[in-house]
Every structure is written in C-alpha cells, then in structure tokens.
Amino acid sequence: MSHVESSYDVVVIGGGHNGLICANYLQRAGLSVCVFESRLEAGGGLCTEETTIPGFLHNLASVFHDAVEIMPAMKDLELARYGIEYVKPEVQLGLALREGRPFLQYDTVEKTCRAIERRSHADAVAWNAMAEGYDEYFRTLIMPALYAPPPKPSEQALALEETEQGRGFLRMVRATPLDVACDGFVDEATRAALLFQLLVPRGVVYDSAGLGMMIPLVVTGIEQSHLAKGGSHHLAHALWRALISAKGKLRGTLRVSEIVIEGGRAAGVVLETGERVKATKAVVSAIDIEQTFLDLVAEKHLPATFRKTVASHKPDEFSLFGVHVALREPPRYRGAALEPDLDRACKVGVGFESTADFHELFADVRLGRLPERPRLFACCPTLFDHSQAPPERHTAFCWAIAPYHLKDGGADAWDQHAAAFAKRCLDAWREVAPNMGGDNILAMRTLSPRDIPRKLENMREGGVFGGRMTQDQLDAFRPLPELSDYRTPIKGLYLAGASQHPGGGILGACGAIAAEAVAEDLRIHPWWS
C-alpha cells in the first residue's frame, strides 16, 4: 500500500508532557511541528481514567505535580488559558504511625515547625534553621539549574566553593540522604518523613551515595505537591490545546516504528502503518533511550560500543504497585485523634516510621522479594477536588514500593501475586485507617509493576523516573555522558524524555531544554528566554 509522505520541520516522538512542551516551544519559534503518540490520549503518565466505576476518576500514574509553581512552561505557554487549574493542599504530608502522634508537614515552614514542635523541640529548631539557611540558595541557584543544560562536574564544584551554603551543599553531595537526615534530626519520625518524600516523586533512595543534598529541598518546601483539578490528564489536555492553538499537529494512536537516517542525519520517521513522515530540520525523541536507539534506529547507523552503552543504562531501582479504590467516604486515620489534620493530608505515609523501615523495605526490593509489610504512599484526591468522583463519594489510591523483577518467576510472576499483594496493601492501610475496608470500598483496580510498561511502555521495567537516580546517572552523566546535552551521535536527532537531566516527575524541564538545544543548532532565537 502506498502512502503520501507528509513533511514537517520537526517530528516529535512521544506525546508525554515533555514531548508536548518541546513541541509547543518549537512551534511558537516558527517551526512546523508534529507530535506522534502511540496511545489514544496524549500525555504519557498524565492519564486519568474511570477504571473502577463510571464517574470515579483515577490518576493511574502521575498525581503529585510538585514543580508547577516554578515550571517555566506554565507561564511561557499560558497553560491556564487552556484549562489547567491546580489546588495546593495546606497539609502536604502526614505520616500515619501505628502508635503516637503523627508527623505533619504543611505548606509553610512556620506551620510545619509548629507541628514538629509537638513531637520534638530539637527537630523544630533544626528544621527551621535548615530552611532559613538554604531557602534562598535553592531558589536562586539550584532550582533554575533544573531548567538548564547540566554543567560539567568541575564547573559545578568551583561555583559552589565560593559560598558557605555552597560548601555545605558540597559536603552533602558526598553524603547519603540517610546521613544528612540522621545528622540533622533526632526524631525517627522526622527522619522517616524526609526520606519518604525523596522516593516519590523524586525517585531517590534513602542510601544513595552523594544525594544527601536532597534533604534541604524537602525541608525548604520549595517544591510542593499540587493536584490537577479534574485529574492529571487536564495538564495533557492544556498542552495539546496550546499546541493546536499555535497551529501545531498532534496525531494519536500512531506508533513510530523507525527513525529514518539519511546521510548520517535524522530525516524523518516511519509509522507502523507504513506511512513515512519527513522531518526537514529535526527529530526529537521524547521516549526512553532504549527504545530510541535499540528499537527505532537501525543497528547499522550506530557503533556497537554505543549500543552496548545504551543497553547498560540502569533502570529505576524500584517500581510501584498501585491499588486504586472507589469509596463511600475518605480514609479516616486513627492518628487524627491526636492530629486532626492527618485526615486532610495530601500524601500519607503508611509503614514509614523509622529509618529501620527503609532498610527492611529495600532489603526486600533489592532481592526481588514481595514485602511482607507493604510501605505505602496513600492519597485521596477528592478531598481537594470533588470533581473526580460523584457527589459524596471519593477516590483514593495507595502505592507500595516494590521490585519489578520478582525473585521467583521474574516480572511476569506479578500476574499471579497481584491480587494477594493488593489485599496485603489494604490490610496495612486499614491498620492505620480502620474504615479502609468492607462496604466502604465500592470497587478496586490494581496496577502492578508489570502492568506499568504494558500500559505505558516508556516506563521500562515499571520505572516511572526515566532511569536510576544515582550519581553516575545524574547531571552531566544523565542518561550517559555522551547524551547529556540532549544531542545524539546522529545529527538532527535530539532527546527530550525523562531519561535526560533532571529526570522524571512533572517538571517539564527535559522538553524545554531539548527545545533550546534544537533552537540553538538551527540558530533560531529562543523566544522563551
């Protein structure tokens, strides 16, 4: 069957938020851009579905949008005009402990310190001191760096050496999050609350060498959880509306099967339908690097050593097991008797009570064992946005940190263990919220680590962060040193996925920086600067 070849200046592979942001910037720079998305609804992890009962909306991947107050695309693309609205819960975090007073973190340092004071005077003082010491530093230096190409390691160190805060930051770069949490705070619940918040949405494990500097980021509260009204897919809708308004194109349910290379340069794509699409100036891949180089680029166009290096890229260290429920009433936590605000916390940690819990959990994950006692991230979005469920009804979910590959049976073994593990998760949730069972649960849907790449194939091995967040895959080494500037060994082929600096989560940085790289090479003025 013959196909008429269509042509654009830029073709973007993948309609997740990074691909859509990149496309929006380039379309507004005067280029003709088309995004190809394999799923029916663009947005990647921004997927909201009625997966239990009609009228009950469940966010199956992305939920906590912590960077919307600092994300340049929100203002640059005027996304509020295209329908996206957010709510920021006052109570950002609660740890539901089996005994004793819960830990609470609020949307301001002052309110958080008042809550910590009720547990530990020493930690309240230490929290306030760390926040005051690093707030301006993070706002003026660290956060803007998320939206710029990563500097060389030596350049970063030289800049940090100039100030007291910078030298303190360098010291934390040599420590683990556990080291910094234990050095700075005495209460086990405070330490657990800090380490808990690094896992989701940041993908940072408690004992990762060189990532201790993430602790002040949590303490300052510069990044705060926001929930998209109407569900996370409303951000995707705003992005594609903005693109269409700018005369860009988005074509769904069309899978790219090949990146066309002509004369050593990316010249377009071939779709699974057989249609060829020409890209006269650039092809931008907003999917993972494994699909890009091992599946879509023919082997003859890349050195064997490069393909081997791509294949060695380390996936996320852990995955998430999701239990999504339709409810008659929201979770009611036992700990609310001591701290009533626990019942209106955005994120609730279950089973994260001390540093020992992290040791135990990751001992299981690293050996591929199903945790006997699941540790959960719980959230009830309808406490803050009633539009996601029918009147006087609610939706909620819990994520359990879990391995992708099980010791016995590998990833496919999740299919036989999912139902039993979901029950184990609900049992753990009910231990601290007794109403999370019985006729309060109207319906349930699970999403196991194995189900994640079945639904969103860009999330390889059930990883939602685009690759392991360790020092050898961060900054100038993310995802690989030779790919860290968003360019590739093939001229005209660029990368914009979560594999790039600064990583996963709804930051919008990977798409924005990729657009800047394309504009620079084409000598187009980046209007957004």
Side-chain angles (χ1 to χ4, degrees):
M1 180 177 179
S2 62
H3 296 272
V4 177
E5 185 177 90
S6 52
S7 178
Y8 303 91
D9 292 331
V10 180
V11 166
V12 177
I13 305 170
H17 83 287
N18 279 309
L20 291 172
I21 285 173
C22 182
N24 266 286
Y25 278 121
L26 294 177
Q27 181 71 32
R28 285 166 170 74
L31 300 171
S32 62
V33 182
C34 184
V35 179
F36 289 92
E37 167 57 41
S38 62
R39 300 181 73 237
L40 176 63
E41 183 180 34
L46 296 169
C47 53
T48 305
E49 300 177 10
E50 295 176 311
T51 192
T52 55
I53 302 172
F56 289 80
L57 299 177
H58 300 272
N59 302 294
L60 298 181
S62 171
V63 180
F64 309 115
H65 298 179
D66 288 13
V68 295
E69 290 184 337
I70 61 172
M71 186 193 302
M74 292 295 294
K75 291 183 179 179
D76 290 345
L77 306 179
E78 301 179 284
L79 294 181
R81 284 183 54 202
Y82 299 101
I84 184 62
E85 294 182 69
Y86 278 96
V87 58
K88 180 173 72 172
E90 179 189 15
V91 189
Q92 286 280 298
L93 166 77
L95 287 191
L97 310 180
R98 286 175 292 178
E99 295 181 3
R101 184 179 295 277
F103 181 97
L104 296 177
Q105 183 172 351
Y106 288 82
D107 58 348
T108 70
V109 170
E110 181 182 6
K111 285 184 280 188
T112 298
C113 288
R114 285 203 298 266
I116 295 174
E117 180 77 34
R118 296 192 287 272
R119 288 191 55 91
S120 167
H121 172 73
D123 279 1
V125 172
W127 190 287
N128 188 66
M130 183 175 282
E132 287 187 347
Y134 281 96
D135 184 87
E136 183 179 359
Y137 182 76
F138 268 80
R139 290 184 191 278
T140 58
L141 291 177
I142 303 303
M143 303 315 291
L146 296 179
Y147 294 92
K152 295 177 181 178
S154 57
E155 293 174 352
Q156 188 178 48
L158 287 171
L160 292 171
E161 288 174 359
E162 298 302 315
T163 66
E164 181 180 350
Q165 291 97 332
R167 290 188 291 274
F169 189 88
L170 279 175
R171 183 173 182 270
M172 286 186 280
V173 167
R174 287 159 172 76
T176 68
L178 178 65
D179 293 333
V180 176
C182 290
D183 287 349
F185 303 93
V186 296
D187 184 2
E188 278 289 294
T190 307
R191 295 168 175 174
L194 291 166
L195 300 174
F196 167 81
Q197 293 182 81
L198 298 185
L199 291 170
V200 177
R202 298 173 178 92
V204 174
V205 178
Y206 78 110
D207 60 355
S208 295
L211 293 178
M213 77 290 189
M214 299 295 290
I215 294 295
L217 178 62
V218 176
V219 170
T220 57
I222 292 171
E223 289 186 340
Q224 300 205 353
S225 291
H226 292 65
L227 304 177
K229 288 187 177 181
S232 294
H233 67 169
H234 274 246
L235 176 57
H237 296 176
L239 285 166
W240 62 251
R241 287 187 187 116
L243 179 62
I244 292 170
S245 175
K247 310 302 182 186
K249 296 288 181 66
L250 171 62
R251 298 178 64 186
T253 63
L254 288 170
R255 185 182 302 277
V256 172
S257 62
E258 180 186 350
I259 296 173
V260 177
I261 312 297
E262 295 178 353
R265 183 178 185 86
V269 299
V270 178
L271 308 180
E272 278 193 343
T273 60
E275 179 184 354
R276 292 175 63 92
V277 181
K278 189 175 182 180
T280 60
K281 299 185 185 298
V283 173
V284 179
S285 175
I287 60 177
D288 60 272
I289 63 170
E290 290 86 353
Q291 283 189 85
T292 301
F293 295 110
L294 304 183
D295 298 340
L296 300 186
V297 175
E299 190 172 344
K300 64 183 179 181
H301 296 301
L302 291 168
T305 53
F306 177 79
R307 289 174 57 86
K308 184 178 180 181
T309 302
V310 170
S312 69
H313 179 246
K314 291 182 290 188
D316 294 8
E317 187 168 1
F318 63 91
S319 186
L320 299 172
F321 181 95
V323 181
H324 301 265
V325 290
L327 300 174
R328 294 184 187 276
E329 63 178 24
R332 305 295 186 195
Y333 291 96
R334 282 199 175 98
L338 293 172
E339 290 283 5
D341 280 350
L342 179 61
D343 275 347
R344 61 188 192 95
C346 177
K347 288 181 284 192
V348 177
V350 177
F352 294 95
E353 303 192 12
S354 70
T355 54
D357 290 312
F358 292 85
H359 291 299
E360 183 179 308
L361 172 61
F362 278 94
D364 286 337
V365 169
R366 287 163 177 164
L367 290 174
R369 297 187 302 228
L370 281 171
E372 282 297 323
R373 182 177 164 225
R375 270 73 176 191
L376 309 177
F377 288 74
C379 177
C380 181
T382 46
L383 287 173
F384 316 101
D385 175 19
H386 301 302
S387 72
Q388 296 189 41
E392 299 183 11
R393 293 291 183 263
H394 290 271
T395 62
F397 69 90
C398 66
W399 287 328
I401 303 295
Y404 179 71
H405 295 284
L406 295 178
K407 182 180 179 181
D408 297 320
D412 288 339
W414 272 111
D415 293 339
Q416 67 190 71
H417 292 295
F421 192 66
K423 181 181 182 302
R424 200 179 297 176
C425 291
L426 288 175
D427 289 345
W429 202 351
R430 193 162 49 250
E431 189 175 0
V432 294
N435 70 331
M436 287 304 294
D439 63 2
N440 188 37
I441 297 179
L442 302 172
M444 180 178 75
R445 159 79 188 276
T446 63
L447 198 72
S448 78
R450 183 66 185 94
D451 292 330
I452 292 174
R454 287 171 176 161
K455 184 175 186 62
L456 300 165
E457 63 182 296
N458 197 41
M459 297 182 178
R460 299 177 74 89
E461 299 199 10
V464 301
F465 304 107
R468 197 163 302 185
M469 300 292 285
T470 49
Q471 282 286 9
D472 60 333
Q473 287 190 175
L474 288 177
D475 299 328
F477 304 104
R478 187 168 184 87
L480 306 167
E482 53 267 63
L483 298 175
S484 63
D485 69 347
Y486 289 72
R487 297 166 177 87
T488 76
I490 298 170
K491 289 184 179 181
L493 177 60
Y494 299 82
L495 301 174
S499 300
Q500 299 302 119
H501 164 80
I506 305 302
L507 296 170
C510 303
I513 302 172
E516 190 162 329
V518 174
E520 181 180 332
D521 290 352
L522 296 179
R523 298 183 180 180
I524 294 171
H525 176 67
W527 58 268
W528 56 94
S529 295

